[in-house]
Amino acid sequence: MDKDSFWRLLHIIQDHLPSTGENRSRGAVPNGPISHAARLSMALRIAAGGDPLDIASNHGVNDDEPMTSFWSVVDAIHQSSQLDIKFPTSHEEQEKIAEEFKNKSDIDICYCVGAIDGIL
């Protein structure tokens, strides 16, 4: 993921992420606040197969925080309507999208209206 994509994704989901801990009623966060950018960074590294202990060490957080951040980001993505996956409802729209998909494919994939996980 390039930097622009990272910051665009963060902008979309940040309102759905848990508090950074900066405004705690019980006083300061013992080890400092965890920024939304750090949460997203940890979650992406987990999704890419990173070791939670290495990620925790690299981000300077408790060992359980990478997995907590991962699930917080997953929940934020699910709550962000801008990231909803919507299947085209009309046959004409399906054909148009399938043709666009085919045009982007080097191997002429026909009758496909999208891919959730993959590279063309």
Side-chain angles (χ1 to χ4, degrees):
M1 173 179 276
D2 62 36
K3 287 182 184 179
D4 289 338
S5 297
F6 177 90
W7 293 111
R8 275 196 314 268
L9 177 58
L10 181 60
H11 178 74
I12 291 169
I13 68 171
Q14 67 186 355
D15 291 340
H16 302 288
L17 288 171
S19 165
T20 60
E22 292 178 27
N23 300 319
R24 283 177 26 139
S25 60
R26 300 185 316 248
V29 178
N31 297 319
I34 300 173
S35 71
H36 290 149
R39 287 196 187 282
L40 178 57
S41 173
M42 288 186 279
L44 291 172
R45 298 228 13 227
I46 290 289
D51 180 354
L53 296 177
D54 288 342
I55 296 167
S57 177
N58 288 335
H59 283 80
V61 297
N62 196 354
D63 291 349
D64 64 346
E65 194 55 50
M67 291 307 300
T68 299
S69 291
F70 174 79
W71 290 112
S72 295
V73 167
V74 168
D75 290 342
I77 288 170
H78 287 161
Q79 294 171 24
S80 299
S81 61
Q82 192 173 346
L83 299 174
D84 285 351
I85 297 172
K86 298 176 183 134
F87 190 80
T89 55
S90 75
H91 188 68
E92 293 78 21
E93 188 179 5
Q94 293 168 12
E95 286 179 334
K96 179 179 179 262
I97 293 171
E99 186 63 29
E100 291 171 359
F101 199 93
K102 180 181 176 184
N103 291 339
K104 289 183 180 183
S105 168
D106 290 337
I107 58 172
D108 293 331
I109 296 174
C110 298
Y111 310 111
C112 183
V113 294
I116 293 176
D117 186 14
I119 299 173
L120 285 180

